[in-house]
Amino acid sequence: MYSIVEYKGLKSGYHCGYCNLEDGKASTGMWAHTMTVQDYQDLIDRGWRRSGMYVYKPAMNRTCCPQYTIRCHILDFKLAKSSKKVLKKMTRFLTKGEGAKGIVEPMESFNEDIGIGHVPSPCTSEVNIDLEKPLKIVSLEEVPTSTEVHEKPQTDSAGDNRDPGEKPTSAEANATTEKLNSIPKPGRGPDPDKPPCRKAKDLRRERKLKKLLQKQQQIGMADVSQHQEATCETPKALFLQHQDPQGNQPKSLEELTSESLSPDAVHQLEYSRFLCQSPLQAENPPDGPDLGYGSFHQQYWLDGKIIAVGVIDILPRGVSSVYLYYDPDYAFLSLGVYSAVREIAFTTELQKTVPNIGHYYMGFYIHSCPKMKYKGQYHPSELLCPETYNWVPIEKCRPKLDQSKYSRLHENPNAEDEDRLQNLNKVLILYRNTKMPYNMYRRRQKRANDEAVVQQYANLVGQTCAERMVLYRN
C-alpha cells in the first residue's frame, strides 16, 4: 500500500477565520488521493492535518495566527474541574432529566483551517448541524470573596402622615427606637481571638472523612473480636490492615463516563462507530485495535435521535479528533467538551490492548486566539516545535508564546530536525503510471524544471515520508 499525494504548494494572503485579517493567512497543502495510517501519523507529528481529502500545514513563520499541533498524554490524563462539571451535568440530565434547554452555556464559533481554496461541502441533515464550538466555561466558584451592604433609611410601611413639626407619639417613638436598635451596626471585622470561618465544602469533606474512619474502625474492631484468639496482632495493627487506601480517592475517568449509562435512566444515550469516507486506508492488523485503523464516525444517539456526530482517526500512535457536528438544540449539554472527554476515554480503552496508542491529538492550539486556547486545559498536553518537530510540555511554551506569536519551542538552540531532507534522489515520484525515485524521473523527463517544488514538498513531509509516499507529477 502506498500513499499517493498531489502537492498544491504554498498559498498566502487569504482570509483568517481566527483574527479576521483579510490577507494574513498562509499554508501549504496537498491532495491525498489515498494515504496509509502510518504516513498520516508521521505527517501529524510534523504539523500536518487533514480536512477531508485535503492535507495542509500552516506556514508557521508567515501566517498571522500560528497553529501549533497539540496532543494530550492519555496515560497521565487529569480531568479538569470544568470537564467534571460537564460530565456530572450530562449524568443528571440522563438519569433524572434535570437541565432545561433554555439554560444554554455560550459556545464560541470554532472552525479549523480547512486548507487552501477548499470549501466544505454542505451538510444534509434533518437537524441544523454546526461545526464544533468550544465551550466557554464559567466556573461556579467565581464569586466575590466579600460583599458590602449599604443600609438606607426606610420609612414606616404604613406611611408618615403627620403634619410638619408634629412630634411622634410615645408608642411610635418606642417602635422607632426598637427598629433602629435592630439594625446591625458596622462591625470591626473578624474577631482575631476566634478561629476563621471555614468553607462549607471543607466541613462536608471533614464529616465524610470522619464517617469513613468510624466505619473502618468498626470493621477493624469486628475483626479483632473474630481473630483475637487466633492471632497475637494488636487491634491497632488490624485496623491499619483494613483501611482502604482508595476510600477517599476521586472517581476515575472510566467511572465518571459510565455513570450516565444506567439502564434505568430517564434518557438513554448510545454510541455507535463505523468507517467513513476518508483518504486513510482502513487497516486491521492482528496486533492492532479491534476496530482497526482508519477514519470513523462516532454517533451520539439520545432516545433514538441522533444529536451529534464526531469524526476521529485511529492511528498507530494515537487518536486524532477531526471535528464534531451537533444538534444546536442540545448545546446546553456542552457537547464539545463532553465528546472530547468521551474520545479521551475511548483512547484509554484502545491503549489497554494496543500500548503504542498513547496520545489524543486535538488539532491545533492557537495561543493568540482566545477561542482556541481552551485546548490547553486538557492535562498533560504538549505542543509541537515548528522547527525541530519535538514535543514540548505546554507549560514551557506559554511564556515564549506570550512574547511572540511564532516561537521556536525547543529549548536547545542547536537542535535540528532529525528527519530533514538529506537525499532528494530518493523521493518517490509517480510519473506516467509508474513509481520511480526522483533521479530516475529526472532522466526520463529531461525537461523537468520542478526540482525546487519537489524539494519544498520533501522538506515539509520529511525524508521518511518522502521515501514512502508517492508524489504525483504529470
Side-chain angles (χ1 to χ4, degrees):
M1 293 189 296
Y2 289 96
S3 299
I4 302 176
V5 298
E6 187 175 354
Y7 186 60
K8 297 296 184 180
L10 172 70
K11 182 177 180 180
S12 60
Y14 62 103
H15 178 262
C16 175
Y18 302 112
C19 67
N20 267 336
L21 194 63
E22 287 299 326
D23 58 353
K25 205 160 195 178
S27 66
T28 54
M30 56 189 177
W31 190 263
H33 295 275
T34 182
M35 182 169 286
T36 67
V37 292
Q38 184 61 61
D39 285 340
Y40 185 52
Q41 173 72 78
D42 291 342
L43 287 176
I44 279 187
D45 288 333
R46 291 186 67 84
W48 292 80
R49 183 156 175 81
R50 80 172 184 90
S51 176
M53 308 288 286
Y54 193 81
V55 186
Y56 62 95
K57 185 181 189 299
M60 298 289 284
N61 58 349
R62 298 183 59 174
T63 190
C64 54
C65 297
Q67 299 157 259
Y68 296 85
T69 302
I70 183 172
R71 71 180 186 181
C72 176
H73 282 273
I74 54 103
L75 288 179
D76 301 320
F77 176 67
K78 297 177 182 178
L79 197 62
K81 188 174 182 179
S82 54
S83 299
K84 286 183 181 179
K85 290 180 180 179
V86 172
L87 289 178
K88 291 179 180 179
K89 177 171 61 176
M90 175 66 81
T91 300
R92 289 194 302 268
F93 172 73
L94 295 176
T95 57
K96 301 179 182 179
E98 295 180 3
K101 291 188 179 181
I103 304 175
V104 181
E105 294 184 0
M107 301 183 76
E108 305 286 359
S109 60
F110 162 55
N111 289 288
E112 295 262 30
D113 180 358
I114 57 173
I116 303 169
H118 177 68
V119 179
S121 56
C123 305
T124 56
S125 176
E126 295 181 357
V127 298
N128 292 325
I129 55 179
D130 206 346
L131 290 180
E132 178 184 2
K133 300 179 181 178
L135 173 68
K136 180 181 178 182
I137 299 169
V138 181
S139 174
L140 297 179
E141 297 196 4
E142 292 178 3
V143 296
T145 55
S146 63
T147 56
E148 294 183 1
V149 179
H150 301 279
E151 295 287 345
K152 293 183 179 180
Q154 297 181 355
T155 59
D156 185 72
S157 60
D160 192 352
N161 298 322
R162 290 190 302 271
D163 294 332
E166 182 180 354
K167 295 182 179 181
T169 63
S170 58
E172 290 174 340
N174 292 335
T176 303
T177 303
E178 184 178 351
K179 185 175 182 180
L180 290 173
N181 291 335
S182 64
I183 298 176
K185 297 180 180 179
R188 292 178 295 178
D191 189 345
D193 297 329
K194 294 183 179 181
C197 296
R198 302 175 62 189
K199 292 183 178 180
K201 63 178 182 180
D202 293 333
L203 295 174
R204 289 196 299 269
R205 187 183 296 112
E206 183 178 304
R207 287 196 297 268
K208 183 177 179 181
L209 179 61
K210 194 173 182 179
K211 289 182 180 179
L212 180 63
L213 292 175
Q214 288 176 350
K215 185 176 180 180
Q216 290 176 339
Q217 188 173 10
Q218 291 174 359
I219 295 175
M221 295 306 293
D223 289 336
V224 170
S225 61
Q226 294 177 9
H227 301 284
Q228 195 169 19
E229 295 181 359
T231 67
C232 297
E233 294 174 326
T234 63
K236 181 178 179 180
L238 284 171
F239 171 67
L240 293 175
Q241 284 184 1
H242 287 277
Q243 283 186 341
D244 182 7
Q246 304 296 327
N248 202 31
Q249 294 294 319
K251 292 183 179 179
S252 65
L253 177 60
E254 185 178 1
E255 291 172 331
L256 287 170
T257 53
S258 62
E259 280 183 344
S260 59
L261 304 180
S262 170
D264 301 326
V266 175
H267 299 288
Q268 292 297 317
L269 186 66
E270 303 174 38
Y271 310 92
S272 60
R273 302 182 183 92
F274 57 91
L275 280 167
C276 62
Q277 186 177 5
S278 160
L280 301 187
Q281 302 170 14
E283 300 179 23
N284 198 358
D287 57 346
D290 293 338
L291 291 172
Y293 298 111
S295 299
F296 294 83
H297 277 147
Q298 286 191 312
Q299 294 185 342
Y300 295 76
W301 293 81
L302 180 66
D303 300 333
K305 175 185 177 182
I306 189 168
I307 63 170
V309 178
V311 178
I312 61 171
D313 294 330
I314 302 179
L315 305 174
R317 293 193 293 273
V319 171
S320 172
S321 177
V322 184
Y323 51 76
L324 175 81
Y325 295 121
Y326 67 91
D327 185 342
D329 287 344
Y330 294 90
F332 70 98
L333 292 174
S334 308
L335 293 175
V337 175
Y338 181 76
S339 64
V341 176
R342 291 287 315 185
E343 288 171 358
I344 292 175
F346 172 64
T347 308
T348 305
E349 287 298 314
L350 292 179
Q351 198 277 334
K352 293 178 180 178
T353 56
V354 186
N356 287 338
I357 297 180
H359 298 96
Y360 175 65
Y361 291 81
M362 297 177 281
F364 290 130
Y365 171 87
I366 305 177
H367 191 74
S368 58
C369 179
K371 296 180 181 180
M372 296 295 291
K373 291 175 69 174
Y374 78 98
K375 296 182 181 181
Q377 73 179 357
Y378 298 96
H379 301 288
S381 292
E382 299 172 310
L383 299 184
L384 187 68
C385 177
E387 296 181 8
T388 65
Y389 301 112
N390 294 108
W391 293 97
V392 183
I394 193 171
E395 292 78 14
K396 295 183 178 181
C397 301
R398 287 192 176 109
K400 297 180 180 180
L401 297 178
D402 286 337
Q403 297 179 357
S404 174
K405 291 182 179 180
Y406 173 77
S407 176
R408 173 192 170 96
L409 302 179
H410 200 286
E411 294 182 342
N412 183 359
N414 299 319
E416 296 181 348
D417 173 16
E418 296 181 356
D419 196 33
R420 63 188 180 279
L421 177 65
Q422 296 181 356
N423 192 340
L424 185 63
N425 289 329
K426 292 186 177 181
V427 175
L428 284 184
I429 303 294
L430 180 63
Y431 177 64
R432 291 186 176 178
N433 233 15
T434 305
K435 176 174 68 69
M436 63 190 75
Y438 182 73
N439 57 349
M440 184 179 294
Y441 161 74
R442 286 292 304 272
R443 289 197 297 267
R444 288 198 178 187
Q445 178 63 295
K446 295 180 181 180
R447 292 180 294 178
N449 57 355
D450 57 358
E451 180 174 340
V453 174
V454 175
Q455 187 166 4
Q456 183 186 68
Y457 152 82
N459 273 320
L460 292 172
V461 302
Q463 184 75 44
T464 301
C465 283
E467 292 184 22
R468 212 166 49 203
M469 300 194 304
V470 183
L471 176 64
Y472 172 76
R473 309 302 292 168
N474 57 23

